[in-house]
Amino acid sequence: MPAHALVWFKRDLRLADHAPLAAAAASDMAAGLFVIEPEWLASAEFDPQHLEFTLAALAPLREALAARGLPLLVRSGSALQVLMQLRSEFAYTHLFSHEETGPGWSYTRDLAVAAWCRQAGVAWQEWPQTGVVRRLRSRSGWSDQWLKRMDAAPVPAAAGWPGARLPMAALPTLQEMGVPPQPRPLPAASEAAANRVLAGFLAGGGRGYRRALSSPLTAEQGCSRLSAYLAFGQLSMRQVHQASELAIARARDAGDTDLAYGLRGFTSRLRWHCHFMQKLEDEPAIEFRNFARATDGLRPGDGPPVDAAAQDRLSAWCEGCTGYPMVDACMRSLRASGWLNFRMRAMLVSFASYHLWLHWRLTGPFLARQFLDFEPGIHWSQMQMQSGTTGINTLRIYSPARQAAEHDSEGRFVRRWVPEFGTAAYAAPVVDERSALKHAKDTMYGLRQTPEARAEADAVQARHGSRKAGLPSTAGKPRQPRKRTGLQAAAKDSLQLDLFT
Ligand SMILES: Cc1cc2nc3c(=O)[nH]c(=O)nc-3n(C[C@H](O)[C@H](O)[C@H](O)COP(=O)(O)OP(=O)(O)OC[C@H]3O[C@@H](n4cnc5c(N)ncnc54)[C@H](O)[C@@H]3O)c2cc1C
């Protein structure tokens, strides 16, 4: 029987380093498919910017593929229905795709697709495209596995495909999909644009990376801005890793130690990307519940319905009207642009979780909608880490005042985004910082001292913690809160980025 291959595109909107596409080139007939799934559009993390960016990436991709013989169909509907329907138009025997570490709805969909493939006699083959390892037994040795994958030769691009004769309808518009327009100016979405951004960063843009990444004033230009391309797959992690290593070697050879140093700081983050995704892969439930069950039910949003006061605090935070200027400036900037640097994302979550005492399930979907680069594995792990619900990480409470003093000392960022700051029109603080933090710290540190919480922390560390951090087991050795007390301790946030822990 001739092999007919269907390449199912998901978060891999590129031609290069694409194993499913390469495999399809060896088939007797092939087609590509992208499905706009109603489950995606209806999910609490979806925002129109995500669809607009996807469609903008699909347009040049399907042109490039069509020029090489492969039709890329874009259909809307539940993936299973679309796959079943398509089989009557194109009798594919093989379904090729990349592995996905996605939200719960995509996991459920994959189970249904796998069951149907078995029953319909379609051979579904999946390839990894990041450092995430399926059915990982132990985190020991994970870092070496990551490097081995990233150092492997990229998949060569096929010269062409024996394309099936299938008519390609025009790409739908947001309006046709019933999705409201979105106001943000989006970055160019093509694979070529992603490669240009990468090349620019490696050729010199990354020189000041380590200095630039903390302040929202400098990070916009000084960070790589590759996250959306990695999330939607215009670039593979392996491409970014290998191009970066080459650029570092070249910079060293050329005596450009500043650039080499900046880029080395950048490459360590690439591992974090996969490290955090691995957590969701290993434990899909962390999208919905705390890593550390000992922290269950602490905050509004994690149990009984949220009361009006918590709802008001949530609204003030979402609107960027908390009366804390650095928090409000960051939120308004994020809402306008779809991007924010890591430190300020962490501060927004820390503020919501500690100052406003809101559970991350309340704030996480809202932030996911604001981030163009929403990547479930990173997002939910980080939401929990910055909220103190992993049980294993340093409790890090960011002081908005200190962040402003250190990263916007002249108040330029705040003035740009909160022009009414300093006038009577500016909101009064939504909570009293001193009492809010006392409550948060007493509760969190008190909880961490309990034997149950410590035993649970060991289990989380064994399953999800980085071996690099070399964290000792907590059993039998209570972790002490730092000596400083009260507001002083809260204001002095811990700046060490032990993100692997
Ligand atoms: C609460 C919270 C939620 C987040 N949600 C996301 C998300 O949904 N998607 C996402 O890509 N990043 C997320 N991050 C991580 C980080 O903020 C972004 O990756 C980064 O700001 C993207 O900008 P950049 O590409 O210029 O990053 P750079 O600083 O140039 O870093 C390069 C790449 O390294 C990876 N990276 C950098 N920092 C981290 C990190 N802390 N954890 C994991 N990977 C990292 C990203 O892939 C990034 O593109 C989140 C951070 C926090 C605190």
Side-chain angles (χ1 to χ4, degrees):
M1 190 168 72
H4 289 186
L6 181 66
V7 179
W8 182 9
F9 284 87
K10 297 180 195 172
R11 290 178 154 243
D12 50 359
L13 305 179
R14 63 176 180 277
L15 268 161
D17 197 22
H18 199 295
L21 270 179
S27 66
D28 298 300
M29 199 179 278
L33 173 70
F34 183 89
V35 189
I36 303 174
E37 296 167 86
E39 295 83 359
W40 177 40
L41 305 187
S43 67
E45 295 77 35
F46 171 80
D47 185 88
Q49 66 174 331
H50 299 138
L51 180 59
E52 189 174 316
F53 194 65
T54 300
L55 292 172
L58 281 169
L61 179 63
R62 70 195 320 221
E63 255 181 49
L65 288 170
R68 292 166 179 77
L70 192 81
L72 170 53
L73 311 174
V74 177
R75 301 265 164 104
S76 57
S78 286
L80 181 58
Q81 301 304 321
V82 172
L83 287 167
M84 287 164 76
Q85 157 71 32
L86 188 57
R87 197 119 191 274
S88 62
E89 299 167 46
F90 168 54
Y92 55 93
T93 54
H94 291 74
L95 179 63
F96 292 156
S97 68
H98 276 121
E99 291 173 355
E100 187 181 12
T101 303
W105 65 261
S106 72
Y107 183 65
T108 310
R109 167 256 271 156
D110 280 356
L111 293 178
V113 169
W116 173 74
C117 284
R118 276 194 299 276
Q119 176 251 314
V122 172
W124 184 13
Q125 190 174 347
E126 293 179 282
W127 285 261
Q129 66 163 340
T130 64
V132 173
V133 180
R134 280 250 163 118
R135 288 176 279 281
L136 182 72
R137 291 231 184 87
S138 160
R139 269 301 186 124
S140 299
W142 182 88
S143 208
D144 292 340
Q145 273 175 279
W146 185 89
L147 198 57
K148 202 169 153 205
R149 254 192 213 174
M150 294 306 134
D151 280 344
V155 181
W161 287 267
R165 292 240 167 81
L166 289 165
M168 285 199 292
L171 284 176
T173 62
L174 262 64
Q175 198 181 11
E176 284 160 4
M177 295 301 308
V179 170
Q182 68 87 33
R184 297 180 184 92
L186 299 182
S190 66
E191 184 175 353
N195 277 287
R196 278 197 299 276
V197 172
L198 174 63
F201 184 73
L202 298 181
R207 188 168 280 110
Y209 175 74
R210 293 184 199 239
R211 282 190 306 279
L213 71 107
S214 290
S215 166
L217 286 167
T218 49
E220 203 180 339
Q221 298 297 326
C223 283
S224 73
R225 308 303 303 272
L226 289 170
S227 51
Y229 299 125
L230 285 167
F232 289 84
Q234 289 93 331
L235 291 170
S236 75
M237 185 51 88
R238 177 161 44 208
Q239 288 177 287
V240 177
H241 163 78
Q242 294 191 2
S244 306
E245 292 300 328
L246 189 66
I248 291 172
R250 286 198 178 135
R252 284 212 184 106
D253 288 349
D256 193 342
T257 48
D258 273 3
L259 181 58
Y261 178 71
L263 295 182
R264 184 50 74 210
F266 160 77
T267 56
S268 65
R269 266 91 182 163
L270 300 179
R271 273 168 213 253
W272 296 355
H273 178 104
C274 303
H275 167 77
F276 287 114
M277 286 175 73
Q278 184 74 51
K279 294 180 192 240
L280 183 67
E281 177 70 30
D282 292 345
E283 197 168 351
I286 62 153
E287 179 186 357
F288 302 109
R289 63 153 176 76
N290 300 320
F291 275 98
R293 306 311 301 269
T295 58
D296 283 0
L298 279 185
R299 299 174 168 115
D302 186 24
V306 176
D307 64 21
Q311 193 58 55
D312 286 349
R313 298 198 298 280
L314 176 63
S315 301
W317 180 80
C318 293
E319 297 299 322
C321 293
T322 65
Y324 287 78
M326 194 63 173
V327 171
D328 294 342
C330 285
M331 184 60 91
R332 294 182 197 185
S333 159
L334 169 63
R335 288 180 62 144
S337 72
W339 185 85
L340 191 64
N341 62 326
F342 169 77
R343 177 176 287 272
M344 295 304 133
R345 292 188 198 202
M347 182 195 69
L348 282 182
V349 177
S350 158
F351 184 83
S353 299
Y354 295 111
H355 289 69
L356 304 184
W357 204 240
L358 298 170
H359 193 258
W360 54 267
R361 270 304 315 168
L362 287 180
T363 49
F366 175 81
L367 278 187
R369 293 196 292 276
Q370 311 312 310
F371 295 153
L372 176 63
D373 61 27
F374 171 56
E375 176 62 65
I378 303 177
H379 189 70
W380 296 118
S381 301
Q382 281 291 346
M383 287 303 303
Q384 295 221 37
M385 198 165 145
Q386 306 305 337
S387 303
T389 59
T390 63
I392 58 172
N393 303 104
T394 312
L395 291 178
R396 189 174 297 122
I397 302 177
Y398 287 77
S399 154
R402 179 170 171 181
Q403 294 306 316
E406 292 188 351
H407 302 297
D408 184 31
S409 57
E410 293 166 14
R412 279 195 290 139
F413 185 71
V414 164
R415 272 201 306 281
R416 177 170 165 209
W417 291 104
V418 192
E420 78 276 23
F421 175 58
T423 73
Y426 186 52
V430 67
V431 288
D432 171 64
E433 186 168 50
R434 185 182 293 268
S435 55
L437 289 188
K438 179 168 183 344
H439 170 255
K441 286 183 337 101
D442 287 353
T443 310
M444 298 306 289
Y445 285 129
L447 184 75
R448 285 214 168 180
Q449 300 309 306
T450 62
E452 298 77 26
R454 293 212 311 276
E456 193 179 26
D458 283 346
V460 176
Q461 173 63 25
R463 184 159 190 197
H464 296 289
S466 161
R467 303 311 190 245
K468 283 212 158 176
L471 259 198
S473 156
T474 51
K477 202 170 96 187
R479 276 195 222 156
Q480 296 299 322
R482 284 176 294 158
K483 285 275 163 50
R484 281 172 276 111
T485 54
L487 196 60
Q488 185 198 9
K492 187 103 183 115
D493 73 41
S494 141
L495 296 183
Q496 80 272 28
L497 286 178
D498 51 348
L499 288 167
F500 265 109
T501 61

